[in-house]
């Protein structure tokens, strides 16, 4: 396993109290594998990624428990200087909004080349040549002429390509992409996603794709982890999950995708809102919104059950629902 | 860029004309310019009339203004009533004040920005609160108090420096006066930098820089500082004009014979030529400083392009 996150816990101290943004999350990514982490805003998907990268704002954030094993080493035990040399070189991150995530006052060539100057000790001239090479790699037209341009002079899609190029620069083993296409036009989204998937295959990198876009996930992911209120509620190989979700929340998500053959019918929506992280309901955090909720859901926190029997079950499937069997069978029947 | 500069320079002409006209009118209202020429007593009417005719003061004001501006454009700022050429006065006064201003700006840039960065990165910690309180004190206490206090302590009590500056006004002598002159602006620069740094520290591009695995020092200097300095540069630029003209108090305290001193003397002795001449040059300095700031803006922030 390239990355193995075990029982990670992150808290934020806020005015309303302590928010448990990540509450015992475990997931793993193998080399060449794509893990999609799915969830609403505030589900803890980005915070988990930031903890893995080591770019969490501390304070107010605080890692209160767990391990992040990367190539066998626990990143949380490394000294800051060792951690820094891992960041960017061995694992890299692609952010959502490339316009605000790139430095507005430095040329893209500077920002790309910086990776080589800092991590590889290259001269500025060589780094610049490398930057052009990278821009070619992510198919930016006329890279040699555009290397001295500033981020605002590029279109949204081109800027996101530059972000990707920056993440790829040192050929890391793991890339974390935090909603890489959310800020883009639909037509450009597909291009950027394809490029990312292609480069991932080529370099055999592990990829964590954080998203709330179920359409993107189906195309590129191998496995999915669905997060809700700081926990993983379901994890499964992508096709199994789409075929028959084993958690009512996942089913709700899938049902709320607009479909052409449902034209004219009312669009499904999960009722209610995600809970505030300072006041997560007792028992299963999803129970106030769950159509299947029973008494036990209000009192007992469901562990991540292994989903072994039933339709579309397989190794490595898990569901944090007391009634995962009912849900799985119900899903399969529809 | 070139066209922008030309347009800005052309825009300066009406501003310059308007500002000088206002000064000219105000000084004329100040009192009878000939009154000071006959010593303690008032001039007898015949002499006064002769002097007025000689200096062209019997002409209407607009005509006087035009004559004056015509002379200024040929580099003739007139003669003070003691017979000294105003340009000569400028030649001795401006270099002194420019040196003083340079020292003050240096303090603002080095100490102000350094303190601003340190406190901006440690917002809410004791160091931050301490500096914040100190800047508040400096801003609230008038310059003549800090000036006289420092003069008394450093110059008289402890004898670390000379309490007053010699007529050469070398850089070494101007350290304490420069600090006094800079004090209030320095406090503002600190606060401005602090706010700017604290705000940008949470920005996405700084997070990206950290995620790239850059050392902390590089993140701060290369990514955070440059973006945060844009408002600070604007402030310091406009402050140049204010420092040069506003050194009256500081120059009086430390007996520096610079622009402020000459202006003060000019106003006291109703020396119209001196006052109008000096203020005219200060207006020019202010305009040029503003232009330079705007151009510097484009250097710091490539998103700003002038056409």
């Amino acid at each position: 396993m390239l990355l193995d996150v075990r029982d990670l816990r992150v808290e934020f101290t806020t005015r309303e109290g302590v928010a448990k943004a990540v509450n015992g999350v475990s997931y793993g990514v193998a080399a060449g594998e794509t893990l999609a982490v799915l969830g609403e805003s505030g589900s803890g998907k980005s915070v988990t990624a930031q903890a893995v990268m080591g770019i969490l704002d501390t304070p107010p954030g605080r890692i209160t428990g767990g391990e992040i094993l990367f190539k066998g080493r626990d990143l949380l035990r490394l000294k800051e200087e060792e951690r820094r040399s891992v960041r960017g070189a061995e694992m890299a991150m692609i952010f959502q909004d490339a316009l605000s995530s790139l430095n507005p006052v430095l040329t893209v060539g500077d920002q790309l080349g910086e990776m080589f100057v800092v991590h590889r000790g290259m001269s500025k001239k060589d780094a610049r040549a490398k930057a052009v090479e990278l821009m070619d790699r992510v198919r930016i037209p006329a890279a040699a002429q555009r290397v001295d341009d500033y981020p605002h002079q590029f279109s949204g899609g081109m800027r996101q390509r530059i972000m990707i190029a920056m993440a790829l620069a040192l050929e890391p083993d793991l890339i974390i992409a935090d909603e890489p296409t959310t800020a883009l036009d639909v037509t450009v989204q597909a291009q950027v996603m394809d490029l990312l998937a292609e480069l991932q295959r080529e370099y055999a990198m592990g990829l964590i794709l954080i998203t709330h876009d179920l359409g993107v996930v189906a195309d590129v992911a191998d496995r999915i982890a669905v997060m809700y209120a700081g926990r993983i509620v379901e994890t499964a190989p992508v096709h199994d999950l789409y075929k028959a979700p084993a958690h009512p929340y996942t089913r709700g998500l899938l049902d709320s995708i607009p479909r052409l053959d449902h034209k004219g019918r009312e669009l499904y929506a999960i009722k209610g809102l995600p809970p505030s992280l300072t006041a997560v309901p007792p028992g299963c955090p999803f129970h106030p919104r769950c159509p299947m909720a029973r008494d036990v859901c209000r009192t007992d926190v469901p562990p991540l059950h292994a989903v072994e029997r039933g339709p579309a079950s397989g190794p490595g499937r898990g569901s944090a629902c007391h009634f995962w069997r009912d849900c799985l069978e119900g899903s399969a029947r529809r | 860029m070139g066209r922008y500069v030309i347009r800005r320079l052309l825009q300066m002409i009406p501003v310059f004309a308007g500002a000088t006209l206002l000064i000219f009118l105000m000084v004329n209202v100040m009192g009878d310019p000939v009154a000071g020429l006959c010593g303690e007593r008032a001039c007898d009417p015949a002499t006064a009339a002769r002097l007025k005719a000689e200096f062209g003061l019997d002409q209407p004001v607009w005509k006087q203004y035009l004559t004056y501006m015509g002379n200024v454009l040929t580099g003739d700022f007139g003669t003070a009533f003691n017979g000294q050429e105003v340009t000569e006065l400028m030649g001795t006064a401006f270099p002194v004040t420019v040196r003083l201003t340079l020292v003050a700006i240096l303090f603002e840039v080095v100490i102000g920005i350094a303190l601003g960065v340190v406190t901006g990165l440690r917002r809410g910690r004791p160091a931050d609160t301490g500096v914040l309180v100190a800047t508040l004190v400096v801003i609230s206490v008038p310059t003549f108090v800090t000036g006289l206090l420092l003069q008394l302590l450093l110059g008289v009590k402890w004898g670390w420096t000379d309490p007053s500056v010699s007529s050469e006004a070398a850089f070494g002598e101007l350290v304490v006066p420069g600090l006094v002159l800079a004090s209030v602006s320095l406090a503002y620069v600190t606060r401005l930098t602090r706010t700017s740094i604290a705000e940008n520290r949470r920005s996405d591009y700084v997070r990206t820089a950290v995620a790239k695995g850059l050392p902390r020092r590089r993140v701060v200097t290369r990514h955070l500082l440059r973006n945060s300095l844009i408002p600070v540069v604007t402030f310091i630029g406009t402050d140049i004009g204010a420092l040069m003209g506003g050194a009256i108090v500081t120059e009086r305290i430390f007996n520096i014979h610079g622009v402020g001193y000459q202006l003060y003397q000019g106003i006291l002795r109703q020396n119209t030529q001196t006052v109008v001449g000096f203020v005219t040059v200060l207006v020019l300095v202010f305009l040029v400083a503003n232009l330079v700031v705007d151009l510097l803006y484009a250097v710091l922030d490539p998103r700003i392009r002038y056409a």
Side-chain angles (χ1 to χ4, degrees):
Chain A
M1 199 59 85
L2 178 64
L3 176 77
D4 195 0
V5 178
R6 289 182 187 167
D7 196 31
L8 185 70
R9 287 165 197 278
V10 182
E11 290 179 358
F12 284 87
T13 314
T14 68
R15 229 164 266 166
E16 287 82 39
V18 174
K20 292 185 173 171
V22 179
N23 200 351
V25 163
S26 304
Y27 59 54
V29 185
E33 187 187 38
T34 301
L35 170 76
V37 180
L38 206 71
E40 290 166 280
S41 326
S43 60
K45 55 191 197 304
S46 291
V47 175
T48 312
Q50 284 172 11
V52 171
M53 273 307 284
I55 56 168
L56 203 63
D57 276 332
T58 48
R62 190 156 30 98
I63 295 174
T64 52
E67 292 177 316
I68 300 171
L69 299 172
F70 180 64
K71 296 198 269 189
R73 287 182 296 178
D74 186 359
L75 293 182
L76 296 178
R77 288 168 191 277
L78 291 186
K79 289 197 196 73
E80 177 48 34
E81 187 56 26
E82 296 170 314
R83 193 79 197 272
R84 182 182 71 70
S85 63
V86 172
R87 271 201 297 271
E90 294 175 55
M91 57 164 75
M93 193 152 175
I94 298 167
F95 296 98
Q96 183 182 119
D97 182 0
L99 181 58
S100 64
S101 298
L102 290 168
N103 192 328
V105 304
L106 298 177
T107 66
V108 297
D110 273 344
Q111 297 185 59
L112 288 168
E114 198 173 20
M115 302 293 289
F116 299 100
V117 173
V118 170
H119 287 281
R120 297 279 186 269
M122 257 186 212
S123 72
K124 278 200 137 183
K125 193 164 157 274
D126 294 346
R128 192 174 176 281
K130 276 285 192 187
V132 177
E133 209 176 284
L134 276 172
M135 286 168 74
D136 259 332
R137 199 79 201 72
V138 295
R139 292 200 278 282
I140 290 171
Q145 279 95 62
R146 304 216 63 187
V147 66
D148 293 323
D149 281 355
Y150 292 91
H152 71 275
Q153 290 167 298
F154 289 85
S155 68
M158 289 298 149
R159 271 197 294 269
Q160 196 56 280
R161 282 163 195 261
I162 289 163
M163 280 298 300
I164 293 175
M166 204 148 83
L168 281 173
L170 304 177
E171 299 182 15
D173 303 298
L174 176 71
I175 287 201
I176 302 175
D178 191 352
E179 309 207 12
T181 58
T182 311
L184 301 176
D185 288 342
V186 184
T187 45
V188 183
Q189 282 185 3
Q191 293 172 12
V192 169
M193 218 45 244
D194 288 347
L195 175 72
L196 193 57
E198 179 196 316
L199 293 167
Q200 185 222 355
R201 265 198 307 280
E202 193 172 322
Y203 292 107
M205 299 174 297
L207 175 66
I208 298 178
L209 184 66
I210 297 163
T211 183
H212 54 240
D213 187 339
L214 286 152
V216 169
V217 172
D219 292 336
V220 295
D222 300 311
R223 295 181 55 77
I224 293 192
V226 182
M227 285 188 71
Y228 187 80
R231 290 193 176 92
I232 288 185
V233 292
E234 180 167 5
T235 170
V238 67
H239 295 295
D240 296 348
L241 184 130
Y242 273 81
K243 205 180 293 167
H247 194 284
Y249 177 63
T250 317
R251 192 154 88 192
L253 285 181
L254 290 176
D255 284 347
S256 48
I257 304 174
R259 287 167 58 166
L260 275 177
D261 55 334
H262 285 194
K263 195 177 170 191
R265 273 191 256 169
E266 199 179 328
L267 198 58
Y268 177 81
I270 304 173
K271 63 179 198 298
L273 291 169
S276 156
L277 291 173
T278 51
V280 177
C284 171
F286 187 59
H287 83 256
R289 307 171 73 187
C290 182
M292 295 171 61
R294 282 177 237 172
D295 284 344
V296 63
C297 302
R298 291 179 191 92
T299 51
D300 294 2
V301 179
L304 197 67
H305 297 284
V307 178
E308 282 157 349
R309 286 185 299 279
S313 65
R317 266 203 93 161
S319 165
C321 178
H322 293 301
F323 305 104
W324 62 268
R325 276 194 189 83
D326 300 351
C327 185
L328 193 65
E329 276 155 21
S331 304
R333 262 200 305 278
R334 287 180 318 147
Chain B
M1 186 75 166
R3 287 187 54 180
Y4 174 79
V5 175
I6 290 168
R7 204 169 69 221
R8 282 291 301 265
L9 288 173
L10 288 177
Q11 279 171 359
M12 280 185 188
I13 295 172
V15 176
F16 181 70
T20 44
L21 180 63
L22 274 177
I23 303 154
F24 199 82
L25 290 176
M26 279 192 276
V27 172
N28 263 282
V29 177
M30 220 160 69
D32 187 356
V34 230
L37 287 183
C38 303
E40 293 294 306
R41 287 169 302 139
C43 295
D44 67 280
T47 320
R50 191 177 50 76
L51 282 170
K52 278 191 177 179
E54 189 190 322
F55 293 123
L57 293 170
D58 51 350
Q59 306 281 330
V61 177
W62 64 268
K63 219 167 181 178
Q64 288 181 36
Y65 175 71
L66 285 185
T67 316
Y68 179 73
M69 286 311 285
N71 289 339
V72 164
L73 290 180
T74 56
D76 176 13
F77 280 86
T79 317
F81 289 131
N82 65 359
Q84 229 179 338
E85 294 264 339
V86 174
T87 41
E88 203 176 298
L89 280 178
M90 288 178 181
T92 56
F94 269 100
V96 174
T97 298
V98 166
R99 278 203 291 275
L100 182 62
T101 308
L102 277 177
V103 174
I105 296 278
L106 203 69
F107 273 118
E108 283 183 27
V109 170
V110 176
I111 300 180
I113 292 180
L115 281 179
V117 171
V118 169
T119 53
L121 292 174
R122 289 178 180 68
R123 203 145 85 151
R125 307 256 191 89
D128 175 37
T129 320
V131 171
L132 216 57
V133 170
T135 57
L136 196 65
V137 170
V138 171
I139 290 172
S140 341
V141 175
T143 314
F144 66 84
V145 177
T146 33
L148 289 171
L149 209 64
L150 280 182
Q151 185 182 41
L152 181 70
L153 290 178
L154 298 178
V156 181
K157 277 247 164 105
W158 302 333
W160 291 358
T161 57
D162 279 329
S164 74
V165 174
S166 72
S167 53
E168 283 107 63
F171 275 112
E173 292 179 289
L174 292 174
V175 171
V176 178
L179 182 62
V180 171
L181 180 63
S183 57
V184 174
S185 300
L186 192 145
Y188 278 118
V189 167
T190 304
R191 290 184 153 228
L192 206 58
T193 313
R194 169 185 178 269
T195 314
S196 195
I197 288 270
E199 199 177 292
N200 286 323
R201 194 159 75 98
R202 300 253 174 257
S203 66
D204 289 349
Y205 60 81
V206 170
R207 191 185 54 184
T208 310
V210 176
K212 281 161 85 173
L214 307 183
R216 187 175 153 78
R217 176 178 290 271
R218 194 177 173 99
V219 173
V220 171
T221 53
R222 202 172 142 86
H223 290 268
L224 179 55
L225 192 58
R226 190 156 159 207
N227 279 283
S228 306
L229 280 187
I230 295 169
V232 181
V233 165
T234 320
F235 177 81
I236 292 178
T238 44
D239 204 39
I240 292 175
L243 287 180
M244 286 193 68
I248 298 184
V249 175
T250 311
E251 293 193 355
R252 278 276 294 159
I253 294 173
F254 294 97
N255 189 40
I256 301 166
H257 290 208
V259 173
Y261 176 85
Q262 294 294 352
L263 264 177
Y264 176 77
Q265 295 292 333
I267 293 167
L268 216 59
R269 303 201 171 136
Q270 295 205 358
N271 224 332
T272 38
Q273 299 285 326
T274 320
V275 176
V276 177
F278 272 83
V279 176
T280 304
V281 174
L282 283 179
V283 168
L284 269 179
V285 169
F286 212 87
L287 287 175
V288 172
N290 266 306
L291 176 61
V292 171
V293 166
D294 284 348
L295 295 180
L296 211 58
Y297 225 69
V299 174
L300 280 177
D301 190 344
R303 283 167 296 181
I304 297 169
R305 281 279 170 265
Y306 299 118

